[in-house]
Amino acid sequence: MTLTFPASPPDSTLARPAHPADVAELKVLTVDDDAVFRRSMAFALEGYRFQGRDITLLQAGSAAQARALLVAHPDIALLLLDVVMEDDDDGLMLVRHVREVMGRRDIRIVLLTGQPGMAPMRDVMRNLDVNEYWHKTELGSDRLEAILNANLRSHQFIREALQTRRQLEQLLAAVDGASHVPDLTGLSQALLVDVARLLGLPGEGLVVMWPAHTTAALVIGATGRFAELQGRPLDALNDPEQVQRIEQALTHQTATVVPPDHALDLLMPLHPSSALSAGQGREVDLATAFALWMPRRQPPAPNATEMVQLLVANVGAQMHRLELIAKLDRLAYQDPLTELPNRNGLLRMMHAAGERLSTMVLQFEDVDQFSNLNLMLGFETTNRLLQALAQRLRDEAGPEVLLARVDNDTFALLGPPDKLDTPLHRHRSEGITVSDGHFSAVLHLTGARVDLALFSGSPEEILSTARYLLNDAKRRGGGQEVAYLPGMEAAARDNYRLGQALHEALRAGEIRIALQPQVWLHDGSLKGFEALARWTDRRGQEVSPVTFIALAEASGHITALFTQVLHQSCHAWRVLEALGLGHLRIAVNLSALQLATPTLAQDITDQCAEDGVPPDAIELEVTESAVMLDPDGAAAQLTRLRQLGFEVALDDFGTGFSSLARLRSFGLDWLKIDRAFLGEIGQRPDHETLPDMIVTLSRQLGLKSLAEGVETDAQRLWLVRSGCMAAQGLLFGAPMAVSELPAWLREHGHLPVQPATPD
């Protein structure tokens, strides 16, 4: 599927010459087998523009579709990729296909399926060239735009670097070829051909020589429509104005005013400045001078003029050729902004360190909230701040520590442990103040640390591990540091295998729900049930919901899990309705990832309608921490759900960090008191304050309160006295399968009394 987001009407101001980077189409490919997620991505990217340019969004529902689109669109810039789709490892295999089979190093690849544990560090990540690795739960609109901005900017830089590299390679080939040409005429003709190729121009122009001790310039190389001038005097050009300009280039005199018709001509001297005359005419005692002239009617491509200048300055000069090789080296191994080694430069030095590497520590440092700083200050200011940060880190680390810039706002430090610990620990707690001379900022750093004495692997594996740890640290919040611990690989492999098993369980419909009763505290009557997801794996072992729900969120399977839970909850409600209990509600939990789905409310409504269940039969629960990931977006979603007839409960209230102002805006019906606050009710009066405050707060806000985890009669009595309206917990009933529901209802007297039949 292809979605093009149209631009605003073109500006009617004076047009400038088109630049290839301006007209190239920006294409982003999303690959995910979840149609809902694809729709949400399309919705989120609608209206997005990068540097004033449109993007074309391509979408694939499988790896096979993605491969076809990659072939049909060789100019795709960014790939947003789900790891596990219809077959295991589809996403990872697609990464290998892009990098190894297609040889595409310019495409930026962002994995959206979660947690690093979904792929084994040692077995998978070391062979993958992935640029970023994000949880889908983290993809708010601001984060998504920041990811696109950073990766499209990196793609643009890479494409420009590759273009420069290709031009440099052409340049090297031209210089090398020129060294084998035996005569001036052949060398001149080859130079014209090579310059035309570099500039993308028709092969026409002149190379003119003004030999020493003569009074007239001679055409020694001519191509295209000027080919007939080969070997003739320059005057034969039959354009006195142009002849004068070429002669001025030969003598290096100050040029006269250039007529408009010649504004784009390429006119370059081909001789060293020491051989030039400062007089008004050609001095016969000087060395032979050469000049190149080529007509053109449009500006050159980026770096093209510089490439030509390098070519004409290096023809026949082996020393200059070696200088060009050094420039290529800097392009490949040096960061142009900070002049530090880049990732390739760091890898080269790590390989060169040999056994000494095991005595060192690798530290990654990433600037917190850097994308927001970019948006507020602009790239020019933040680039200068990055330069200042690089200088501070270099000065403080000292000569024994290698500093490199491995990504946009990520620096790497490699050196002895004692040279890294003290300054970085201080910066972690206090921040580091940098200034570009006009603007000062306190930057806070998130870090990842790999003690190489504990790690056995190649430099490439070390960098992949550091990136993995850095992503984990960023997920935990700003100013964090995560260190490598031996055995992390085994845990990652276990999570990976469990993730595969969860994928299969969802496909096979093995996830089941258990219903826990919720009761009204004033009379003990049933309020409804909460649907709790349960998974027994194929070995017959129960998998903790804490584990597999977190894994589902990280791997992008949470939507499929919710769909199955909701479908089974609708079936359970129909069982209740058939028993005369259609007034009861079933509570179903929503995840943070689902709150970020624009079509969430309509999707839930459609599924309930398909299952024949009214919205007021379903209560939707969302945790406090989930709504605070994107408070404004969550408020809009919850308000819409209530408008459609669903009741909404804020789960685990008191464990998160929402403010009262936010709480009012969320559009809620219930506050659920977390079980953590009930443990010592009836035992320690000082521990009853917080739940009492929550009950009072809910009443003042016009919300109903429900306590979960109630296990003792003392807790129940306290909750009744406090004014709490409802509760759930083992005191009232353990979670049960849907099939056990009728028997439990009969046993506890919750079924309506059937009217007596007349005799």
Side-chain angles (χ1 to χ4, degrees):
M1 177 174 67
T2 303
L3 302 171
T4 301
F5 302 116
S8 54
D11 194 347
S12 60
T13 56
L14 182 63
R16 58 181 176 81
H19 184 287
D22 294 331
V23 298
E25 191 175 13
L26 281 174
K27 295 180 180 178
V28 176
L29 171 59
T30 66
V31 186
D32 199 301
D33 61 351
D34 185 352
V36 173
F37 186 76
R38 292 199 303 273
R39 288 198 301 270
S40 70
M41 288 294 291
F43 181 88
L45 294 179
E46 187 172 357
Y48 169 79
R49 302 188 76 197
F50 175 71
Q51 296 181 351
R53 298 161 59 195
D54 299 325
I55 67 165
T56 294
L57 178 63
L58 307 171
Q59 294 196 317
S62 66
Q65 292 177 9
R67 289 191 183 96
L69 286 172
L70 285 163
V71 171
H73 300 271
D75 51 349
I76 287 172
L78 173 60
L79 180 60
L80 302 172
L81 176 61
D82 189 15
V83 175
V84 179
M85 289 175 283
E86 67 271 30
D87 292 315
D88 297 342
D89 290 334
D90 261 1
L92 302 182
M93 295 301 294
L94 184 58
V95 173
R96 291 195 178 94
H97 179 79
V98 171
R99 297 299 194 213
E100 299 170 10
V101 178
M102 301 183 68
R104 292 292 304 276
R105 298 294 173 182
D106 59 310
I107 293 180
R108 302 291 287 179
I109 299 179
V110 177
L111 292 182
L112 297 180
T113 55
Q115 165 146 314
M118 272 303 298
M121 243 186 305
R122 297 291 298 278
D123 298 339
V124 178
M125 289 181 65
R126 65 182 175 185
N127 295 322
L128 296 180
D129 184 5
V130 174
N131 303 109
E132 293 190 43
Y133 197 31
W134 290 97
H135 297 197
K136 290 183 179 180
T137 57
E138 299 172 322
L139 290 184
S141 58
D142 290 342
R143 173 65 55 77
L144 182 60
E145 182 170 343
I147 290 172
L148 263 68
N149 286 339
N151 284 279
L152 290 176
R153 187 165 58 252
S154 296
H155 171 77
Q156 187 179 62
F157 171 78
I158 292 169
R159 291 299 295 262
E160 290 174 357
L162 290 173
Q163 175 65 16
T164 301
R165 188 183 184 98
R166 283 192 291 269
Q167 291 173 331
L168 285 170
E169 289 171 348
Q170 291 177 1
L171 173 57
L172 286 176
V175 172
D176 184 66
S179 66
H180 298 90
V181 177
D183 60 274
L184 279 177
T185 298
L187 182 59
S188 300
Q189 299 281 30
L191 180 61
L192 288 166
V193 171
D194 290 329
V195 170
R197 183 181 297 117
L198 283 171
L199 295 178
L201 297 174
E204 57 182 33
L206 300 176
V207 173
V208 180
M209 176 180 68
W210 197 330
H213 312 293
T214 65
T215 57
L218 179 69
V219 177
I220 60 170
T223 55
R225 58 191 171 98
F226 304 107
E228 61 181 16
L229 299 179
Q230 181 75 40
R232 299 174 63 184
L234 178 60
D235 290 341
L237 182 58
N238 202 23
D239 184 344
E241 198 173 64
Q242 188 62 60
V243 168
Q244 182 184 15
R245 293 180 67 237
I246 295 173
E247 287 179 344
Q248 288 170 344
L250 286 162
T251 59
H252 208 237
Q253 296 174 7
T254 302
T256 58
V257 177
V258 180
D261 288 346
H262 301 307
L264 297 174
D265 284 0
L266 176 65
L267 180 56
M268 302 178 65
L270 307 181
H271 49 72
S273 59
S274 60
L276 300 175
S277 166
Q280 293 298 312
R282 181 74 169 87
E283 295 190 5
V284 296
D285 58 337
L286 292 179
T288 299
F290 299 87
L292 170 73
W293 173 71
M294 298 186 75
R296 57 186 180 186
R297 290 292 177 265
Q298 62 182 15
N303 302 319
T305 300
E306 181 182 354
M307 295 298 107
V308 171
Q309 290 171 339
L310 288 170
L311 173 59
V312 299
N314 285 274
V315 169
Q318 181 67 16
M319 184 179 296
H320 291 285
R321 183 172 183 266
L322 294 175
E323 183 184 0
L324 286 174
I325 293 175
K327 289 183 179 179
L328 279 173
D329 188 82
R330 288 194 294 274
L331 180 66
Y333 297 104
Q334 188 180 81
D335 170 50
L337 178 66
T338 62
E339 298 184 351
L340 294 172
N342 59 15
R343 185 180 185 276
N344 291 335
L346 176 61
L347 278 173
R348 182 167 65 172
M349 293 177 184
M350 292 174 71
H351 279 290
E355 294 182 358
R356 292 187 298 111
L357 197 61
S358 63
T359 66
M360 301 179 186
V361 165
L362 177 68
Q363 188 85 23
F364 268 21
E365 295 295 327
D366 186 87
V367 181
D368 293 339
Q369 302 297 320
F370 185 74
S371 58
N372 292 337
L373 201 63
N374 260 333
L375 292 173
M376 289 187 290
L377 302 179
F379 297 116
E380 292 184 2
T381 299
T382 50
N383 279 345
R384 290 194 297 269
L385 292 177
L386 283 176
Q387 290 172 323
L389 175 60
Q391 189 60 50
R392 280 288 305 275
L393 293 174
R394 183 161 36 197
D395 292 343
E396 295 195 8
E400 295 184 58
V401 175
L402 170 67
L403 179 65
R405 184 187 181 208
V406 294
D407 204 352
N408 189 32
D409 59 330
T410 304
F411 293 86
L413 298 96
L414 178 69
D418 59 324
K419 299 297 181 182
L420 294 176
D421 290 340
T422 302
L424 290 177
H425 178 74
R426 183 176 72 254
H427 295 325
R428 192 84 66 230
S429 58
E430 301 175 3
I432 181 169
T433 302
V434 297
S435 172
D436 67 349
H438 303 282
F439 184 87
S440 295
V442 179
L443 303 180
H444 292 271
L445 305 177
T446 292
R449 180 186 179 93
V450 183
D451 187 338
L452 302 185
L454 305 176
F455 189 92
S456 176
S458 67
E460 287 79 7
E461 292 177 87
I462 294 170
L463 293 192
S464 294
T465 300
R467 173 61 66 183
Y468 159 84
L469 296 173
L470 183 63
N471 287 342
D472 189 27
K474 290 163 69 176
R475 180 180 59 83
R476 300 183 186 193
Q480 302 292 315
E481 178 178 298
V482 174
Y484 170 78
L485 296 174
M488 280 184 168
E489 297 88 343
R493 280 193 293 269
D494 290 343
N495 283 336
Y496 177 67
R497 284 192 288 266
L498 187 61
Q500 289 180 309
L502 175 60
H503 177 62
E504 289 299 323
L506 288 168
R507 292 176 61 180
E510 295 173 1
I511 306 297
R512 291 288 180 263
I513 64 168
L515 298 174
Q516 183 167 37
Q518 298 176 331
V519 302
W520 296 105
L521 286 172
H522 71 281
D523 62 1
S525 62
L526 269 180
K527 169 194 173 295
F529 295 86
E530 180 179 3
L532 303 171
R534 294 293 184 261
W535 176 25
T536 302
D537 66 19
R538 295 181 181 181
R539 297 172 297 174
Q541 296 180 347
E542 291 284 340
V543 182
S544 166
V546 173
T547 299
F548 76 79
I549 290 175
L551 194 57
E553 289 179 332
S555 62
H557 292 313
I558 192 66
T559 301
L561 177 60
F562 172 80
T563 299
Q564 293 189 17
V565 169
L566 179 58
H567 176 70
Q568 294 179 46
S569 299
C570 289
H571 168 69
W573 183 85
R574 290 200 306 272
V575 171
L576 292 173
E577 183 187 35
L579 294 170
L581 298 173
H583 62 284
L584 301 181
R585 284 190 174 90
I586 306 291
V588 183
N589 290 275
L590 283 172
S591 74
L593 178 63
Q594 290 171 281
L595 286 178
T597 304
T599 59
L600 171 68
Q602 192 59 51
D603 292 339
I604 295 176
T605 302
D606 291 345
Q607 184 172 343
C608 288
E610 183 178 337
D611 288 335
V613 173
D616 60 7
I618 300 297
E619 181 179 303
L620 297 166
E621 295 187 4
V622 60
T623 64
E624 186 178 7
S625 57
V627 297
M628 289 308 296
L629 288 175
D630 180 12
D632 293 334
Q637 290 277 36
L638 300 182
T639 298
R640 178 61 179 151
L641 286 166
R642 293 184 74 221
Q643 290 171 345
L644 291 170
F646 298 96
E647 284 206 346
V648 175
L650 189 64
D651 198 6
D652 299 340
F653 183 71
T655 63
F657 44 86
S658 58
S659 67
L660 283 177
R662 285 293 185 189
L663 196 59
R664 289 180 181 276
S665 70
F666 285 144
L668 303 170
D669 297 286
W670 289 86
L671 283 186
K672 293 190 70 175
I673 305 171
D674 188 77
R675 67 181 63 243
F677 302 128
L678 303 183
E680 299 190 51
I681 286 179
Q683 302 179 37
R684 292 184 56 181
D686 58 315
H687 280 230
E688 299 173 356
T689 304
L690 190 54
D692 187 52
M693 290 174 59
I694 296 174
V695 172
T696 302
L697 176 63
S698 66
R699 188 164 53 247
Q700 291 174 345
L701 293 175
L703 304 178
K704 294 168 280 190
S705 55
L706 183 148
E708 57 184 358
V710 179
E711 298 182 355
T712 68
D713 200 53
Q715 292 171 344
R716 180 188 67 79
L717 291 173
W718 184 91
L719 289 167
V720 171
R721 289 194 301 270
S722 73
C724 184
M725 300 183 68
Q728 69 184 83
L730 295 179
L731 181 66
F732 308 108
M736 69 194 80
V738 176
S739 60
E740 301 170 5
L741 191 58
W744 184 89
L745 291 168
R746 282 192 295 270
E747 180 183 347
H748 290 79
H750 291 302
L751 290 178
V753 177
Q754 297 294 330
T757 56
D759 295 335

